[in-house]
Amino acid sequence: AVVSTQSTGKGIEYILLHVDEPSDLMIIRKQERHSPSHVVPLANYYVLQGTIYQAPDLHHVLNSRLAGTLFHLQEALDKTLKMSRYDPNKGHYWSFDPPAPSKEEKLRSEPCSQFQRESVDKLIDILTKKYQHFMLRTGPVVTEQQNLKQESKDEPQR
């Protein structure tokens, strides 16, 4: 790509759209020139404190904003659906009190039962006693080469 200072040629050109001295911001546009009067913008870039960033296009900005909005709308609708009630005598009504959690929900919220904790502790204790010699020792790891050097130092000199 060529930086063009002429507006008469054809091809890709970069133009400086805006310079803001106090904030050290520059906006650059990449565009394709078909004739002196017909230009198609391809991308916009902004330079902030010496770093160049590509500016998002309108499609990506709107897509991101709509996705965030729809996510929060869906959450709100799910919560209102949980509060909506129907009774044949009353008809439709709203219950703003949170429902009490069922036994199943309480059990699911606990990571494990007391029995499971005790069983795992017993298993770990049994395995630790059975395989003590496999337990990792905390301390410096000595390589075979270091071990040979130490043995040669320990032997009496002749």
Side-chain angles (χ1 to χ4, degrees):
V2 177
V3 177
S4 174
T5 57
Q6 304 174 12
S7 62
T8 59
K10 292 182 180 179
I12 303 290
E13 67 180 8
Y14 294 87
I15 62 166
L16 186 61
L17 283 180
H18 179 73
V19 177
D20 188 23
E21 291 295 328
S23 64
D24 198 23
L25 171 73
M26 292 188 296
I27 299 175
I28 300 170
R29 174 178 285 161
K30 177 181 178 183
Q31 59 189 17
E32 184 174 7
R33 182 167 296 279
H34 295 285
S35 70
S37 61
H38 181 62
V39 176
V40 177
L42 299 175
N44 289 319
Y45 301 91
Y46 60 97
V47 182
L48 188 60
Q49 296 176 349
T51 305
I52 302 171
Y53 303 95
Q54 183 171 4
D57 59 354
L58 184 61
H59 168 73
H60 287 99
V61 171
L62 288 177
N63 191 20
S64 173
R65 295 293 176 110
L66 282 174
T69 303
L70 289 175
F71 172 76
H72 292 295
L73 262 174
Q74 185 66 43
E75 277 189 342
L77 289 174
D78 289 344
K79 286 182 181 179
T80 56
L81 185 63
K82 290 179 184 177
M83 294 178 194
S84 174
R85 304 279 186 261
Y86 176 76
D87 186 279
N89 295 331
K90 295 179 185 179
H92 289 282
Y93 67 98
W94 295 95
S95 173
F96 294 105
D97 298 326
S102 66
K103 276 188 175 183
E104 188 177 302
E105 288 175 345
K106 286 181 182 177
L107 289 175
R108 269 190 266 144
S109 67
E110 290 185 21
C112 61
S113 67
Q114 183 66 28
F115 172 76
Q116 289 171 327
R117 275 186 239 117
E118 290 173 1
S119 299
V120 169
D121 288 344
K122 285 179 186 177
L123 281 171
I124 290 174
D125 189 43
I126 290 169
L127 291 172
T128 303
K129 288 178 183 173
K130 187 174 181 180
Y131 297 106
Q132 275 183 343
H133 55 283
F134 287 119
M135 296 296 290
L136 293 175
R137 293 183 178 86
T138 57
V141 177
V142 179
T143 63
E144 188 176 332
Q145 193 175 25
Q146 291 171 335
N147 202 6
L148 290 172
K149 286 181 184 177
Q150 184 64 30
E151 287 176 4
S152 64
K153 286 181 183 177
D154 292 342
E155 289 181 8
Q157 296 292 327
R158 293 182 192 171

